[in-house]
């Protein structure tokens, strides 16, 4: 009888294990993963257009920081929370607060990113335009990303068309995160993003400040640093982030589930399984890339 302990290698190659996680479910999972120690890239449907949900906010943040760098916006600008900001908003806590609160643009970006607060998203996005954010994405190389609205419509059905929402690709989101990471040590990389080195550092720290711990971090050891942004869509859940090990970036993972059923055959909500699927993908990377 073989009593040798099971290892990552004995369970199959990394691509086999990643695809097994996806194949176990009836919905679509697209991903783009980069082992930052070896440079290896693993992907599945990485160039296929997919709903972005709130993963779009990382590019909104970077477009806003470009405007700050150019002097068109000021992170210290004071913004008054008006009642209209809470209309048609289904995420975050600001919608439950009393209008009249004053916060800075810096704080609005924080709320948009670390709690995905769409009142804060409105505050930020109203200082930009759809054309400006789209042009920014195209200019840095995110050719598969298309921003189509300020805030997603609440009345969308689970089978909505792609053109009803902002869309992106897993590869685009990995490229953006890699660019932000590169900009920590490279002035040239910061310039390609259209921001200063200081603003690049701020952007990465804001991603690290994320307080929602589902999906990518969910199966990792407690306290693991993950710089990430998740998303909640009518068709699925998504998450894009950089995972650290011992203070150093270990891997980038961008994962998007799509056509997720409202309820699985056993009665479990589909969104629960979609988030767990992303968590399992992340755990495969954690185990294999640290081996």
């Amino acid at each position: 009888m073989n009593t040798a302990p099971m290892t990552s290698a004995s369970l199959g190659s990394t691509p086999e294990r990643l695809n097994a996680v996806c194949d176990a479910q009836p919905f679509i999972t697209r991903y783009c993963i980069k082992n930052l120690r070896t440079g290896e890239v693993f992907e599945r449907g990485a160039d296929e257009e997919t709903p972005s949900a709130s993963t779009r906010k990382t590019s909104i943040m970077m477009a806003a920081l470009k405007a700050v760098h150019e002097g068109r916006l000021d992170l210290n600008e004071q913004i008054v929370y008006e009642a209209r900001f809470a209309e048609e908003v289904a995420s975050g806590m600001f919608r439950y607060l009393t209008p009249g609160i004053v916060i800075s643009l810096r704080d609005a970006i924080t709320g948009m990113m670390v709690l995905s607060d769409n009142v804060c998203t409105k505050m930020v996005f109203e200082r930009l335009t759809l054309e400006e954010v789209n042009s920014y994405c195209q200019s840095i190389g995110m050719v598969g990303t298309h921003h189509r609205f300020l805030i997603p419509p609440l009345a969308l059905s689970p089978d909505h068309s792609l053109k009803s929402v902002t869309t992106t690709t897993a590869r685009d989101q990995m490229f953006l995160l890699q660019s932000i990471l590169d900009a920590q040590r490279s002035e040239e990389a910061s310039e390609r993003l259209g921001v200063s080195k200081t603003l690049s550092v701020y952007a990465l720290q804001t991603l690290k400040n994320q307080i929602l711990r589902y999906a990518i971090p969910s199966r990792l050891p407690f306290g693991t640093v993950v710089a990430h942004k998740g998303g909640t869509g009518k068709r699925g859940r998504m998450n894009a982030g950089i995972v650290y090990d011992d203070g150093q970036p270990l891997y980038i993972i961008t994962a998007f589930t799509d056509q997720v059923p409202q309820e699985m055959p056993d009665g479990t909500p589909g969104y629960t399984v979609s988030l767990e699927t992303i968590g399992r993908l992340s755990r495969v990377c954690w185990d294999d890339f640290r081996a």
Side-chain angles (χ1 to χ4, degrees):
M1 180 178 178
N2 184 3
T3 58
M6 297 292 284
T7 64
S8 294
S10 66
L11 294 173
S13 67
T14 298
E16 289 171 339
R17 296 180 69 210
L18 291 170
N19 285 322
V21 170
C22 302
D23 293 341
Q25 304 304 334
F27 48 78
I28 296 170
T29 302
R30 304 176 174 101
Y31 62 76
C32 196
I33 294 166
K34 185 174 185 179
N35 180 339
L36 293 171
R37 290 182 176 171
T38 67
E40 291 177 283
V41 175
F42 307 90
E43 58 189 61
R44 179 179 174 123
D47 293 313
E48 295 175 6
E49 189 176 9
T50 188
S52 72
S54 288
T55 62
R56 73 192 178 105
K57 294 174 184 175
T58 305
S59 56
I60 295 172
M61 172 177 69
M62 297 311 297
L65 294 181
K66 179 176 185 288
V68 169
H69 181 59
E70 295 171 346
R72 295 183 291 112
L73 291 179
D74 181 354
L75 288 175
N76 294 318
E77 177 192 352
Q78 299 296 288
I79 305 172
V80 179
Y81 167 40
E82 304 172 30
R84 66 183 180 87
F85 286 135
E87 296 172 1
E88 295 293 304
V89 165
S91 67
M93 62 171 284
F94 242 95
R95 56 193 163 137
Y96 301 120
L97 301 183
T98 305
I101 297 171
V102 179
I103 65 172
S104 66
L105 175 59
R106 178 184 289 102
D107 290 339
I109 291 173
T110 296
M112 175 179 76
M113 297 301 295
V114 307
L115 196 56
S116 211
D117 193 303
N118 271 345
V119 166
C120 292
T121 304
K122 283 187 176 183
M123 292 176 174
V124 176
F125 217 156
E126 281 196 353
R127 281 148 180 81
L128 304 165
T129 66
L130 277 175
E131 181 181 6
E132 180 178 359
V133 177
N134 272 318
S135 294
Y136 176 78
C137 290
Q138 298 297 310
S139 71
I140 66 171
M142 297 177 69
V143 296
T145 298
H146 306 282
H147 291 262
R148 293 190 171 96
F149 49 72
L150 178 65
I151 295 295
L154 293 181
L156 281 174
S157 65
D159 62 349
H160 65 75
S161 69
L162 287 176
K163 290 188 177 180
S164 300
V165 295
T166 289
T167 52
T168 190
T169 67
R171 192 182 310 281
D172 270 9
Q173 293 300 319
M174 189 190 77
F175 169 80
L176 179 58
L177 292 173
Q178 180 71 71
S179 298
I180 293 171
L181 189 60
D182 291 344
Q184 303 307 295
R185 293 189 172 93
S186 167
E187 293 285 356
E188 183 180 350
S190 286
E191 289 173 5
R192 285 198 301 270
L193 287 172
V195 299
S196 66
K197 177 83 175 295
T198 299
L199 290 173
S200 297
V201 171
Y202 166 79
L204 183 60
Q205 185 58 53
T206 301
L207 286 162
K208 286 181 179 179
N209 291 343
Q210 176 62 248
I211 65 173
L212 302 175
R213 304 295 293 179
Y214 51 67
I216 292 172
S218 65
R219 285 180 163 261
L220 303 182
F222 181 79
T224 299
V225 175
V226 184
H228 67 120
K229 184 70 195 77
T232 300
K234 291 292 183 71
R235 289 176 33 163
R237 297 295 189 271
M238 43 287 290
N239 203 195
I242 306 166
V243 176
Y244 287 73
D245 177 37
D246 195 25
Q248 297 300 314
L250 177 62
Y251 59 92
I252 298 174
I253 174 171
T254 64
F256 293 78
T257 62
D258 195 8
Q259 298 181 23
V260 177
Q262 295 296 296
E263 186 176 285
M264 304 300 285
D266 66 355
T268 302
Y271 75 85
T272 301
V273 180
S274 66
L275 291 171
E276 177 67 2
T277 295
I278 297 173
R280 288 181 181 276
L281 289 174
S282 182
R283 185 68 201 203
V284 169
C285 298
W286 179 264
D287 291 339
D288 285 12
F289 300 164
R290 293 172 71 249

